[in-house]
Amino acid sequence: MKRKLLFGERMLLGDGTEAFNAVIPFRLRGIFKEEDIQHALGQIQAKHPWLRAIITHDENNIPWFEVPGNHLPIPIRTVMRKGENDWQEESAKEWQTLFNYEEKPLIRFIWIKGEELSDMLFVFHHCLCDGGSAMAFLYEFLQILDHPSAEIGVESPILGIQDVVPAEILNNRRQKLKAKFIGRLAATAIKCIPVSKKAIERKNDYLIHWKFDKETSSELISYCKSQEVTVNTFLSAAVLHAFKKVRGNAAFNKVSCPVDIRRFAPQIKDDHIFAFGLMIVVSANYKINFAENLYAMQEAVERKTAKLNPYITMMVMESAHDALKNFTKLLKHGKSSNDCMFSNLGRIQIPHQYKEFTLDTIFSPSVIGPLGNTTTLVTSTFRGEMDFSFMGSEGYLPYSEALAIRDEVIETVKLQLDPIAVL
């Protein structure tokens, strides 16, 4: 089984010399054997063919996902647990560790082994899948780890754009011409944009982690409901406010927010191994107050989201493979134009109590890659607690400023929730 990488996947893959890795850390309370972990990993590989895949290149140097005839197990690396923050150190280490994807799968597993408490990490190349896919196979892994004979089904994998874009759109002459025209236009424009000969030096990467307790998390969700805005919009506003306050005129007033393609393309199931994403950019109006901004931003988010078209977007990108090199160069060498990427995975629907163990927590994923500004904030909610992973690089955002931005986000949230606390 094999398929060509789509444009976005090729962009994330790069040339193999720079890592673009995502990490899903979680904490389990229980006692485990490595053979049981390996069995669970083998079972999720049996369900998802692309978790067994390597990367091969054809005569035109085009990369393909290919499932080899011989089984290639997910590698396990075990380290002894010393403290609460080991998972952060191992996450940062895994950001930098390249995948030997021509010989091994694009996924590996880290077991930070303790006597009764273990931290575990799924690490995968971002070209393989997104956070939504990762949560699906994490859920399946835990099912098998608890009950080795559990049935998790078999994925019918996506084999190309034809499995995502409906035939009546993909084969429509007008839509094909439209996609090709936009693709050519974009490719030409990218060529004309001046870029520096040298990429910005990334310097040291870092991870800042924090949580809101159940009470604060519940109050935040209730506040958003009362204001008729999403948690995503509220936190985007808080992030933009924090960047402005800490960075002043150096702030761009732009946050990029991924939008789950599954909302628009039902062909992509929750458990599909797939990496394609959609994006909107959110900004604030500093001439009005925070509460007024929430309404204005919510309207803008809904308007931009309604205009998203995953099918045409994919067709445009697939018509522009020859522009990949220029596009990648623009991302790496062009000036940064946004403050950060902000991704909200929402409530994670994975049980915490199992027969053989307890899932104490799922830490929000982290990801760092070589395509420009690495500053990223990811949040998720598990067992009623909102969890945050804030990652970046000194060359784009100094660590001291990142800490100040974190403090400002927390303070902004507390200030907005204060009236509820008083009541």
Side-chain angles (χ1 to χ4, degrees), residues 47-276:
K47 172 175 178 175
H48 303 285
W50 302 132
L51 296 186
R52 310 194 297 271
I54 58 174
I55 299 289
T56 59
H57 290 79
D58 61 22
E59 63 276 7
N60 297 315
N61 203 34
I62 304 297
W64 292 66
F65 289 122
E66 183 171 347
V67 180
N70 57 317
H71 176 62
L72 299 175
I74 294 173
I76 299 175
R77 179 169 66 85
T78 303
V79 296
M80 299 312 296
R81 191 174 190 273
K82 300 172 191 166
E84 290 287 302
N85 296 324
D86 290 358
W87 67 271
Q88 296 185 41
E89 295 175 15
E90 294 301 326
S91 294
K93 187 183 296 181
E94 288 299 326
W95 293 340
Q96 312 291 341
T97 306
L98 292 170
F99 279 93
N100 179 14
Y101 55 63
E102 293 180 336
E103 298 179 8
K104 295 181 180 180
L106 294 116
I107 181 169
R108 53 181 176 254
F109 189 86
I110 316 302
W111 180 15
I112 306 173
K113 184 179 179 180
E115 289 187 10
E116 294 185 358
L117 203 65
S118 287
D119 293 333
M120 299 181 180
L121 283 63
F122 271 111
V123 184
F124 55 92
H125 198 294
H126 199 15
C127 77
L128 180 68
C129 65
D130 61 7
S133 299
M135 289 301 159
F137 65 66
L138 169 58
Y139 173 47
E140 294 160 357
F141 168 81
L142 293 169
Q143 282 183 288
I144 301 293
L145 189 61
D146 187 52
H147 184 49
S149 60
E151 290 290 336
I152 58 174
V154 178
E155 178 194 358
S156 179
I158 291 170
L159 298 175
I161 189 173
Q162 71 279 0
D163 288 340
V164 178
V165 181
E168 60 269 23
I169 298 174
L170 186 62
N171 300 323
N172 182 284
R173 185 171 179 273
R174 184 180 175 187
Q175 300 288 11
K176 287 164 73 173
L177 287 172
K178 177 182 176 182
K180 193 170 183 179
F181 174 75
I182 296 173
R184 291 300 89 207
L185 199 65
T188 303
I190 288 168
K191 283 183 181 179
C192 298
I193 298 173
V195 295
S196 171
K197 290 184 179 180
K198 188 177 180 183
I200 294 174
E201 188 182 350
R202 201 161 104 186
K203 301 180 183 176
N204 291 332
D205 300 325
Y206 53 80
L207 170 64
I208 301 170
H209 172 261
W210 74 95
K211 280 181 181 285
F212 288 152
D213 59 25
K214 288 184 179 180
E215 183 180 0
T216 302
S217 300
S218 178
E219 286 179 1
L220 194 159
I221 293 167
S222 296
Y223 175 82
C224 291
K225 286 181 179 178
S226 70
Q227 300 300 309
E228 297 183 338
V229 299
T230 64
V231 172
N232 201 72
T233 298
F234 176 86
L235 291 174
S236 294
V239 168
L240 286 166
H241 171 79
F243 268 89
K244 180 65 175 175
K245 188 158 186 182
V246 172
R247 306 209 79 196
N249 292 332
F252 295 102
N253 188 27
K254 287 182 181 178
V255 168
S256 300
C257 297
V259 179
D260 191 352
I261 191 174
R262 295 164 184 82
R263 288 173 54 184
F264 304 91
Q267 298 86 345
I268 307 171
K269 308 303 179 186
D270 289 343
D271 63 351
H272 266 135
I273 302 300
F274 196 61
F276 189 87

Side-chain angles (χ1 to χ4, degrees), residues 269-321:
K269 308 303 179 186
D270 289 343
D271 63 351
H272 266 135
I273 302 300
F274 196 61
F276 189 87
L278 301 169
M279 196 81 64
I280 62 171
V281 176
V282 180
S283 298
N285 180 354
Y286 294 121
K287 294 179 181 178
I288 57 179
N289 64 33
F290 188 88
E292 291 171 326
N293 244 318
L294 284 181
Y295 299 121
M297 287 174 63
Q298 187 62 48
E299 286 182 6
V301 165
E302 291 172 3
R303 187 171 61 251
K304 290 179 179 181
T305 303
K307 290 181 179 179
L308 291 175
N309 187 326
Y311 304 137
I312 292 297
T313 302
M314 286 188 74
M315 290 171 68
V316 167
M317 294 176 77
E318 288 311 292
S319 74
H321 274 264

